[in-house]
Structure formats: C-alpha cells, structure tokens
Amino acid sequence: MQLHLSTWEEVDSYLSTSKGIIIPIGSTEQHGPNGLIGTDAICPEVIAREVGERTGALVGPTISIGNAQHHLGFSGSVTLRPTTLIAVIKDYVASLARNGFERFYFLNGHGGNIATVGAAFAEIYADYSMAMPGSNRPQVRCVLKNWWDTPGVQALSKELYGDKDGSHATASEVSVTQAAYPDAIKRKEMKQAGRAPRPFADADDYRKLYPDGRIGSDPTLATPEHGKRLIEASASDVIEDYRRFLALD
Amino acid sequence: MQLHLSTWEEVDSYLSTSKGIIIPIGSTEQHGPNGLIGTDAICPEVIAREVGERTGALVGPTISIGNAQHHLGFSGSVTLRPTTLIAVIKDYVASLARNGFERFYFLNGHGGNIATVGAAFAEIYADYSMAMPGSNRPQVRCVLKNWWDTPGVQALSKELYGDKDGSHATASEVSVTQAAYPDAIKRKEMKQAGRAPRPFADADDYRKLYPDGRIGSDPTLATPEHGKRLIEASASDVIEDYRRFLALD
Amino acid sequence: MQLHLSTWEEVDSYLSTSKGIIIPIGSTEQHGPNGLIGTDAICPEVIAREVGERTGALVGPTISIGNAQHHLGFSGSVTLRPTTLIAVIKDYVASLARNGFERFYFLNGHGGNIATVGAAFAEIYADYSMAMPGSNRPQVRCVLKNWWDTPGVQALSKELYGDKDGSHATASEVSVTQAAYPDAIKRKEMKQAGRAPRPFADADDYRKLYPDGRIGSDPTLATPEHGKRLIEASASDVIEDYRRFLALD
Amino acid sequence: MQLHLSTWEEVDSYLSTSKGIIIPIGSTEQHGPNGLIGTDAICPEVIAREVGERTGALVGPTISIGNAQHHLGFSGSVTLRPTTLIAVIKDYVASLARNGFERFYFLNGHGGNIATVGAAFAEIYADYSMAMPGSNRPQVRCVLKNWWDTPGVQALSKELYGDKDGSHATASEVSVTQAAYPDAIKRKEMKQAGRAPRPFADADDYRKLYPDGRIGSDPTLATPEHGKRLIEASASDVIEDYRRFLALD
Amino acid sequence: MQLHLSTWEEVDSYLSTSKGIIIPIGSTEQHGPNGLIGTDAICPEVIAREVGERTGALVGPTISIGNAQHHLGFSGSVTLRPTTLIAVIKDYVASLARNGFERFYFLNGHGGNIATVGAAFAEIYADYSMAMPGSNRPQVRCVLKNWWDTPGVQALSKELYGDKDGSHATASEVSVTQAAYPDAIKRKEMKQAGRAPRPFADADDYRKLYPDGRIGSDPTLATPEHGKRLIEASASDVIEDYRRFLALD
Amino acid sequence: MQLHLSTWEEVDSYLSTSKGIIIPIGSTEQHGPNGLIGTDAICPEVIAREVGERTGALVGPTISIGNAQHHLGFSGSVTLRPTTLIAVIKDYVASLARNGFERFYFLNGHGGNIATVGAAFAEIYADYSMAMPGSNRPQVRCVLKNWWDTPGVQALSKELYGDKDGSHATASEVSVTQAAYPDAIKRKEMKQAGRAPRPFADADDYRKLYPDGRIGSDPTLATPEHGKRLIEASASDVIEDYRRFLALD
Ligand code: NI
Ligand code: NI
Ligand code: NI
Ligand code: NI
Ligand code: NI
Ligand code: NI
C-alpha cells in the first residue's frame, strides 16, 4: 500500500490495523559512469514497494535527496545540509504521528545518510526526553535499515560479484536500478574502480580520490536480472525485519 | 531527460547546452474521498516528464512534501514547516548552482506552496543581495509555475467541468492522477463539495470547514481520458513558458 | 486606539470588547527619485491609524522592515531575510495571543512581503496543526490585506493616474506619504518609468532592470491632496474588511 | 535626517559625508498604570530625531519590539525571542553595510535589550572574526547607548525626582512620552512603587513581584515640560557621544 | 560535590536536599604572553569546586568555550557564536530541569560571556512567558556571577596589584591559574599593557588595539600564592551569594 | 601539550610543526550505580592527555556534554540536542581553522555521539562542497575515533572481563575513571546487567528497558589498575592512529 496512491479514508482504515510505516530514503548523487544519479532513491523505493505489495505495509513518499555533500564535485548531485535533512525527517514523523502513526521504518539507500538520520532520530526523541515526566504524548519509534545490509543481499552480492561489488556505484545497486528502469540502462567501458587509502572529506577531496565517482566497484557486471534477484532478496529480509520491529513491545 | 535516470557525465553534456532545470514540487496531503494523497506531487511530476521527453529539458527529482499544515486533520497528510521547505529549496538550488545550473523552473502542484516557495526564492536571492558588490558568483534565477494555471488547462477545465472543478481535490487533478496511475482509481459516491465563506487557518479549522477534505469540487467527474488531455494541455503551455524563461536576458 | 499610546490596563479593557488587532507591515526601501524610503511603512501606518481612530480598533506597532532584498542595490534600503521576518511575525503574534488576542489583521504596504507573510502564517498555524488533537489552546487567525488592494483605492488610482500609477514607487503611495509628511515632499523631474519584460531576481538584477528604482510609475503626479483621498478611501474599505474578518465564526 | 523620510539619492549623498547611522531601539511593553506601552520605543526615537535635526545625522527606522519576555504577564506587551532580535539586528546592519555604512549607533530605550543587543553585535563580529584572514570586507562597528544613561539625564532625573524616578515605568521616561504625545497623557492615582528584594525571571514571576508593572517609580510626577528638558539633555549628550564614536580610528 | 564525579543515585539524593546547581562557564582564548588559553574556564572551575567542597553544593561540568570572537586573531582561541552558546545553555538547563533542578547559578570567568548569557536566560524564560497562562511547569531561575566581581576579590586585587591588575589577562586570573596548575606557569618579560582609547569590535580590530593580547595588565606580578588567596576570597563570597540565591522565594 | 594550559605564542610555535589537534568529546550522563556521570568525558580526556604527553600532540578542551537524550530518565544527565552539538563542533573547528589548524581528531567517549558527530562533519564539509569551485580556503579534515575501539583495548577488555564488560557503564570505562579519580570510586553491590531485546528510543523507553542504567555490564569488576592498563593500551593505539591521520596526503 503506497501512501501517495491512497486516500485519507484508506489511511484511517489502515491505522486501525497498524501504526507502522516504511519510508524510503535515498540520495540524488553521481553513481559513476553508468550508474544513475537517482540510484540511492530508486533502490529503497522499489524494494519498499515490493514489501508493501507483499504485506500490505504502508509505504510513504521517498525522501529522494539526502546528505551527498561529498558528491557535489560531479554535476547533477544534490545535497541537503545535515541540519536541513534533520528538519525534514522531524516534520515528516511529526505529521504522521499527529494522526496516530507510531513506528517509522526508514529503508535507506545511501551510506552517507546513516549518521544524519541517526542524529535526526535523537533530535526527535530529545523533544520527548526533555519534556517534563508525565506528558502523555504517545511515543514514536524510528529505525533505519540499509536495503543492502541484509543476509540475503550480502550473500547474493558475494555470489554475483565476489570482491567486485565495491562500496559506491556498486554492481548491486546498478543492477537494482536496471531492473527498475530497463530503459535507462547505460553502457560504459570501465575497469574495477580503486579504493583510496583514506576516507574522503568534502567534494573536491572526494573527486580527487575517486576521479570517475566509483569506489571499488565494477558496475559493468550489473544486469537487470541480478537486480530482480536483489530486490527479491532484500524485500524478503526487510519483511521479516519490519515485522520484528512492529512486534517489539 | 530525468535527472535521477541520468549519469553525471550526461549532466555535464547537458550543461554545455542548457543551464536550466525543471523541478516538480508538490505535496502529500488528503485529496478528498477519491483523490490520492500524492495528487499534488504526481501532477507536476507527470507533466514535467512530458515536457522533458518532448524537449530534452532536464527534470529534477520531485519535492513531494510541501506546505500542507492545514490538511493535517486528515490521516496520511504530511507537511514540512515553511522554514524547513525554505531550507530544502535553498540547498537544492545551491547544490545544482555549484556545478553550473542558473535557471530553476519549479513546476508546482499545490496552491499551499506558493507563498513559501516565494519566500524561499527571496531567501536565496538575499544571499546575493546582501553580499558586497563585486562578488562574481553567477546569479541564479528561480520561477514558480502552477501546472493548472495555464491558458490550455483553464480552458479545458471549463469545458470538462464547468463550475464543478473546485479548488481542492479538483476534478482536473484527480483526472491527471487517474491517467498517471490507472490502477489506483478510487470510486466514491459524493456530491459537489461546498465552499466555506471564509479562508481556513490551521488543520482543525480546515476540517471543520471542509469535512471530507474537498473544496468546491466534484471529482466523481474525473476520468483518465480527461487526465491525458490535461497533461497534454499543461505540458504544451509549460514548454512555451519554460522556453521564454530560458530565453530571458 | 494605538497600542503604543495605550496602557496595559486599557488593553485589558479593550480585550473585553474585542480579540482583534490591526498590525501595519511595511518595508524600508528605495522608492525612486522622489519617493521616501519609508513609503511602504508609512502608508499602512497612517491608514491603520485612520481606521483605529474611526472605529476604536487597536493598532499595533508597525513592522517597518520587511522583505526588500531586491532593493539593496539602492542605498538606504534595509531587508530582513524571509526567515527572520517569519520569526518576527511569529513572536509578535504569540506574544499577543498569550494575553487573549485571537484575530490578527496585517495591513500591508509592500508587495514583496506577501509571500513571506503567507509563509509566516503557515509557520504559526503549523504549531497548532502538528500538535496532538485535543490541545486546548485558543486558535489564532491571521490575514494579510494590502492597503492599495481595495475597490475604493483601485478606482481612485485609475481616476487620478490612469495607466501612470505603476507598480513600484507608485503615484498613489507617494501621494499618501505626501499627505502624511508634507514637510518631506521631494521635487524631481522624471518621466514615467518603464517596465522590464521579465521579473527581477536579486538586487543587482533589479537595479539593472530599473535604473532609478521605479517600476512603471510617474510619481511626479503625486499630491498631498490625492494622498488624503487615498487614505480616506483605503480606510473606508479596510474598516469593512476588518469588521468582516472579526465577524467570521 | 530620517532614513524613512529620505530618498535613496539623498542617502547616496549622505554616504559621501558620513558612514554612520543612529538606530533607535526600544520595546513594546507595559509601563505601569499611566505609562504608554510604546514608551521604550518612543523615547529613543524622539531623542534620535532631535539629534538628527540638530546635526544632520541619519536616523534609521526604530526597532520598536525588543526583548520584553518578562512583561508578557501584562496585556499588550510584545516580545521578540532574543535569537529573533539577534537576527533582526544582523540583517539590519548587513543591509546598510552593503551600500557603505560602517558605524552603527543604537540608541536604546529598554534595559532588557542590553544583553541581547550585545550578543547580536558579537554575532555580527563573529562572521568577520571567523573568516580567514585577508578578507577585504570593510569592518563594521556597532555600539549601544542608553538614552537615559548620560550625565545630563542623570543629573536632571535626580533634580526632578530624587529617589522617585525608579527603574521601570520611570517618571523620566513617562515625561518624555508626555512631551512627545501630549494627547496621550494618562492620569492615574498611585504611590511610588516598591522594589522587590530579588531579580525577576519570567513573566509570571515579574507580575508576582511587581503587581502593577512599575519598579520603584512614581510616574505621577511626570510632566511634558520635564519631558522636553530630558529630551534636550539626552540629545545634547548623545550628540557628543555619537561624534566621538564616528571620530574613532 | 561534582556532578561528573557523582552517580545518578547520588544526584537523586542531592535533589531531595537542594534544587540548585553551580555551573562554571568560561572561555578558551588567548590571555597574553604568560596567560593560559584556558584561564577563563579554569578560574570559575576551581572556585566552584572549592565552593562545592566546603558546602556540598553540586557543581556541573564547566562550559569551557564561550563567546571569544574578538580573540580569534590569536592562535588557539576558540569561540562559539552567541546563538550557539544560547542553545548550549538552553539545553543544559532544560536537561537538569527535567529531573527537578530549579536554580541555576552560572559562575562566570569571562566578561565576553555576560551579554550572551543574559540573552540565553531571556531565551529560556521566554518559553515560559510565551506559554499560555496555567501551564504547570516548575519555573527555573538562572543567575550569572562573575568570580572576580565580589567584595573580597576586588579588595585583594587592589591590595596585590593596585592599578596593574588590568582587565584582560589580569594578574589576578593568571595567579589563580598558577595556583591551579603550578606546572604550567609561564615566564615572560613584559611591561604593563596599555588600554586603547575605544572598545574593540572584531578579532582583527582587537589585535590591532592590543598587540600581545593583554588589556591594561601586568601579569608578571602573578604568583601561585596570590592565586590561593584569590580562590579563597572568591569562594567565600560566592558561598554567601549562592546561599542567598537559593533562599529567595 | 594541552591547549588550555598553553599560551597563544606556544600555539603559534606548535602550528609551525603541526596542523593537527586532538579534541576529546564525551557526555554527561548516568553510568549505572557505581559509574560516574562524567565517565564518557573523563575517559577520552585522560587518554588524550596521555597521548599529548607522550607525543607533544596538542589536546583541545573536552566537549563534555554530548548527545545523551536517552539518559534523561536518570537525574544528573545532561544532553545537547543534536543540532546544538553540530553547531558547537562547527564553531570549534572554524575557530581553530581560522588560525591554521587543518586536521581535527575527535577522541570520543560515548557511542551516542557517533551519529551526530558524523552529521557535524558533513555539515562542516558541506560549506566547502557547496561553495563555487576555485575558493581557496584550506580544506579541513575531521575524524572520529572511539577510545575503546582499538585492538589493544578490545583485547584487554576480553582478557579482563570476558563477556561481562557490557556496552553501557562498562567495566572498562569505570576502570578508567577509577584510575583517573581514585578518590571518587563508588562501591555498589550488583549483578551483571541484562540486555534488552531491542534498541531504546527516548529517555522513558531507555529507563524502562534498563532500570539501573547499565547495559550488559558488571562494573563491580572495575579496578583502578585495570584503568591504568586500559589508558595505556588505548593511548598507544591512538598515537599510531593519529599519526596515520596526520600523514595522509
Ligand atoms: Ni549508492
Ligand atoms: Ni491538489
Ligand atoms: Ni512601495
Ligand atoms: Ni521603559
Ligand atoms: Ni580572562
Ligand atoms: Ni560511557
């Protein structure tokens, strides 16, 4: 069930059965010579929809712009400042909590979001924690799950790409986008990308370390078929994980 | 050309031909008993894509959550505070300006965004205006266009719905979403909604004035075929308007 | 009744008869070769006082600096960033709401404020809308009225100036300031100003388009007598409009 | 010379002779049973105008709402949060600095503003101080002067009121407003107000300590004639002080 | 009793005897050729500990970075923007108020903090003052005390240094740090520093006026023995002052 | 070398040999029945000082209050909101960068800081990344290292406590504080704490899951001798890690 394709009366009905929602969160940033700029938003979005279709879980609109300051050396990349992203997540959660949602499951497509989303959760919780005891607002609970960070996806990545999946513009994520948007598959010759001996800092630094944008990946190995299997694998693991999250006391 | 389906190298090429981008901006909010919560994001998104396909203009990822505080009385509605939305627009524009974009055309799907987006543009310009003279940053220019606010769409609305289109959860916008998502068409019996004798304030006030969420509309008149014609009409007008915007000195 | 010329006990008495207040809001910005920098604050201030005198309505202190970033290319112009102006309006309203005011009527003197003031109202309402249902804070209602945007003023402008009133540094507003400050009338030779074929962006852009600051006006036509009639006409229309606002359920 | 009664060309001329401006800053807050709510804005405004008339110094529009949170227990009082007031002062100074102003003399009417205005100056300076060395922006200098805190006013206060002037809703400031607005003189019987044995905190606390709003004053002693003498005395001292400020290297 | 050396159960016990806490607040900034960069944090910290040991008062962790923008012309100086410092103080107080603390006594080591801390208190109080009447949150009370601004310290300074104590990098504060950190005593030849004829503005301005960082002091006069006496004198006065603060109704 | 015990001239000398600084960052929060509230600040502070003494590296003042919203259910805990902590870190780094520091090594004592500090680094970098290319500001680099997250400490923890070290109020960290403050050792009987089957959210939730504050630890095993060995082990590993950080191109 997708929020943007539902009516408010349908959401009212849904709330009588579940207080949970899945929110895809991605990024809009370069993904190397054959990776789509929308990759990190597309991946959690298609997996969340798969989860929604199989289970009836409600899926909110994707937060498609995340923290991508380090990719701004490449055209078309877009970032929110971390403090802006914190405000977006806070307003999103508060809006839904107002009408009864209590469990927020963020399905993440971008490693660069992890820290800031964690900070956003703490910012949200702090409002509750700093209130005087005895306030009777229902508590919200938030969790972040990376779509690729599940047993099924890890096993499949290893099987399909061995040590060539990399960590940015990965073969896995490019495969997922190829399954999702077969008309937007790009062909580019390239070798497996290297890894710099150190972490990157800002955008100029990132581009110096990773001239074509990739980190350690060979995304020429990506295929739409891989993508389907990866979506399947991730969705299955996420379904279980989300159910556990809802079942927590 | 859609940004999220492009690579950074493609964006580099595009920048050698155009400094412009179209950014759909909508809202996630109730649209009455048969209108989708995503209506205001879906409409400008599908029209912008039509424009992008016909002309090669680049279309950025949709800002799908806008200013919808007055709809929070209905489940599933989501808002950003105006100051959050200002920060989002500012970061979005600054990110793209960094690599050479100069003209930002926001295609809007939600009347409630107009004031805040105008404030956001002023906030962006103020950084330039308050800088000492002689700064050599390239200027950015931003404009907001409502997808329904074009000669072709106005004529078609009148032809199709007469005085029954209304001003929220309109027959027109419901038609556009039916064309875009035919599998998500909802059937609901209802009469044309009334109009309150005064403007609304906050969410409780809005719900008191408009009990099922609609303002003045009869969206049972909506059909997917109307939607196609409306998309067509809006896209044609927007293409012209966008070209004029790019051609300005 | 003017707030700054009243005592707190008088305001207490007033509150037993009315929950409404009129707040003039203007700008401090260039108004061409013979227009005063304070024009946009002076006009709503004198009209609001006229309204206050005739009806006993309370008039708050004028917000004399607004959003004028586009005028910063001319010396003496002062702006608040839109986010600053939003904070000012929010604090102003919250302070008065604390002691019982519920209806805030902003009488505006500057087109450049409209968007930001609208965003400020939404920011204020959002606090109510995002609160859990059942909060028992009395609701506030805010409205913006442009002093020139009334039937009487429009008719008079047409009668006095035809198509020469313009849209910035207008003959009308200069007349109002001449009526209010007859000792500060400036004499300058000039022709009717032109209109640029496109909207302005930041301050440098504005000055390039409008070298002496005016848009489309011939303010040499202004006279103090016109000003008196315009004040009269606006005040009469505003009185009615304000009464309607207070009478709304 | 008053900014709001000047044209931008006159300000351009002025800037060729002086980089300085005087900015009255006050508050909108209760001033006891016979004191005007606008007292703290009126006093520095009329004194600054006197200074402007005698010397040609430019006087900017009054910041009429300051930090008055502690007065919110009395109807009609209005406050800005300190962080809002800091933003207002920062934007005001930056706007004028953009076109060449360098020396900002804030003439203050409200003790409660002193801390926040000091913080605002530090916030402004911090932008310069945290910039890399070698930035060539012209430095700005800001100073705050309380209109009552001059040798002439202190002597006159002692002469006129002895120990009955008090520290809020003082006989002195009420006299100044009576001189400025003779039609708004209020008559109320009351005795000299007491002083609490401790500082106040928030609004409820203030009202508990000072039930009618005054601190230590007997403002029934105020007369318009006293007001004229106080304005005169303050203006003379401020003229000297402002000249010293401009003459500093 | 020091908060950072206590357990939460010990704090629970303490709260049953007192709602008060002492919070040292300093700065990290140049203190001339022989003064430690930590001087302004060290002084209130050691004095507060002395107070805590003698009386059992709870001492919170030192806010060691304050408002020092004007010292950034000297290496090693660190500042918070005033708005950042306001947020820090607000969160610190709100955290402790949540569990029952009501009286906050800030023992200050840095003149440059006074204005901003005052603004922070007003920002905290404003939340209470702008709330609707009838809120039942317990009120907090905050006060700032400069460690040097007590009868005992003033007398001792005069006795030990006459007119050579100065106002930045004073002999007194250097003595206190020598008593606290005898291993970090620095030897430098220098003469009494001068005083500029005017206040400083930003960091470049400060350094121009005070080339080695000191204002009016001869800190070669400092000794650890003086430091011990000054700590003793200040602690005795602070103990009395703090008791009065707690005893206020 | 400790910044707060140095003079600005010593820092100038240091900068000619190194652009790096170590900044301890902790938290002020409950650490169970025998753990100090300052534990998370004390640990990185004493280890950083050890590093500083052995290598001459400069150590800045400890950020002793971090993100501890989840501990506010226990008296004496203090938190900064994540957005406040981001502002603190940004100002701290900007201040030192102004005079030539380029490499910032944050030695962390609190798991709850990790996300927010990561967001702060991205906020800092974003200013560089969003600037137009060609800006010539020297880049800063920031890194976060948890003092316990080193090979030597992990091995020692296993050796000393097996599976009884836990993850909050650990035997290891209590040992470190006992070595640092032998006079503040607390004796309490307790069993190894349990671990909840799920993550915590806000403060009420945390306290419900962990009634005495500990997570999985048996801190009765802590001894000052262990503490000395842990400090030694961590410092040795940190020295290496910091050198690698400085040596990066
Ligand atoms: Ni990715
Ligand atoms: Ni709509
Ligand atoms: Ni105007
Ligand atoms: Ni006053
Ligand atoms: Ni000092
Ligand atoms: Ni810990």
Side-chain angles (χ1 to χ4, degrees), chain A residues 29 31 40 109 168 173:
Chain A
E29 62 182 46
H31 270 76
D40 288 358
H168 183 69
E173 63 185 345

PDB file of all heavy atoms in Angstrom, chain A residues 29 31 40 109 168 173, ligand 1:
ATOM      1  N   GLU A  29      22.673  11.717  -6.422  1.00  0.00           N
ATOM      2  CA  GLU A  29      24.115  11.938  -6.490  1.00  0.00           C
ATOM      3  C   GLU A  29      24.714  11.037  -7.551  1.00  0.00           C
ATOM      4  O   GLU A  29      24.192   9.968  -7.858  1.00  0.00           O
ATOM      5  CB  GLU A  29      24.741  11.588  -5.128  1.00  0.00           C
ATOM      6  CG  GLU A  29      24.534  10.131  -4.772  1.00  0.00           C
ATOM      7  CD  GLU A  29      25.063   9.703  -3.422  1.00  0.00           C
ATOM      8  OE1 GLU A  29      24.817  10.409  -2.449  1.00  0.00           O
ATOM      9  OE2 GLU A  29      25.714   8.639  -3.360  1.00  0.00           O
ATOM     10  N   HIS A  31      26.658   8.349  -9.555  1.00  0.00           N
ATOM     11  CA  HIS A  31      26.966   6.942  -9.304  1.00  0.00           C
ATOM     12  C   HIS A  31      27.861   6.386 -10.396  1.00  0.00           C
ATOM     13  O   HIS A  31      27.621   5.290 -10.919  1.00  0.00           O
ATOM     14  CB  HIS A  31      25.668   6.140  -9.177  1.00  0.00           C
ATOM     15  CG  HIS A  31      25.169   6.070  -7.765  1.00  0.00           C
ATOM     16  ND1 HIS A  31      24.551   7.124  -7.149  1.00  0.00           N
ATOM     17  CD2 HIS A  31      25.236   5.082  -6.810  1.00  0.00           C
ATOM     18  CE1 HIS A  31      24.242   6.804  -5.898  1.00  0.00           C
ATOM     19  NE2 HIS A  31      24.651   5.573  -5.668  1.00  0.00           N
ATOM     20  N   ASP A  40      20.316   5.799  -5.398  1.00  0.00           N
ATOM     21  CA  ASP A  40      20.092   5.560  -3.963  1.00  0.00           C
ATOM     22  C   ASP A  40      18.655   5.817  -3.518  1.00  0.00           C
ATOM     23  O   ASP A  40      18.247   5.379  -2.434  1.00  0.00           O
ATOM     24  CB  ASP A  40      21.035   6.442  -3.137  1.00  0.00           C
ATOM     25  CG  ASP A  40      22.460   5.941  -3.229  1.00  0.00           C
ATOM     26  OD1 ASP A  40      22.710   4.914  -3.875  1.00  0.00           O
ATOM     27  OD2 ASP A  40      23.348   6.608  -2.666  1.00  0.00           O
ATOM     28  N   GLY A 109      18.926   3.967   1.236  1.00  0.00           N
ATOM     29  CA  GLY A 109      19.683   3.592   0.057  1.00  0.00           C
ATOM     30  C   GLY A 109      21.061   4.204  -0.009  1.00  0.00           C
ATOM     31  O   GLY A 109      21.757   4.023  -1.003  1.00  0.00           O
ATOM     32  N   HIS A 168      30.760   2.198  -3.574  1.00  0.00           N
ATOM     33  CA  HIS A 168      29.883   3.242  -4.150  1.00  0.00           C
ATOM     34  C   HIS A 168      29.748   2.994  -5.639  1.00  0.00           C
ATOM     35  O   HIS A 168      30.725   2.662  -6.308  1.00  0.00           O
ATOM     36  CB  HIS A 168      30.432   4.650  -3.902  1.00  0.00           C
ATOM     37  CG  HIS A 168      29.504   5.696  -4.432  1.00  0.00           C
ATOM     38  ND1 HIS A 168      28.267   5.961  -3.871  1.00  0.00           N
ATOM     39  CD2 HIS A 168      29.576   6.501  -5.530  1.00  0.00           C
ATOM     40  CE1 HIS A 168      27.650   6.890  -4.569  1.00  0.00           C
ATOM     41  NE2 HIS A 168      28.421   7.230  -5.588  1.00  0.00           N
ATOM     42  N   GLU A 173      23.747  -2.167  -6.713  1.00  0.00           N
ATOM     43  CA  GLU A 173      22.737  -1.113  -6.813  1.00  0.00           C
ATOM     44  C   GLU A 173      22.460  -0.730  -8.260  1.00  0.00           C
ATOM     45  O   GLU A 173      21.310  -0.431  -8.620  1.00  0.00           O
ATOM     46  CB  GLU A 173      23.105   0.108  -5.952  1.00  0.00           C
ATOM     47  CG  GLU A 173      24.373   0.828  -6.333  1.00  0.00           C
ATOM     48  CD  GLU A 173      24.725   1.971  -5.337  1.00  0.00           C
ATOM     49  OE1 GLU A 173      23.869   2.374  -4.534  1.00  0.00           O
ATOM     50  OE2 GLU A 173      25.886   2.428  -5.365  1.00  0.00           O
TER      51      GLU A 173
HETATM   52 NI    NI G   1      24.541   4.393  -3.909  1.00  0.00          NI
END
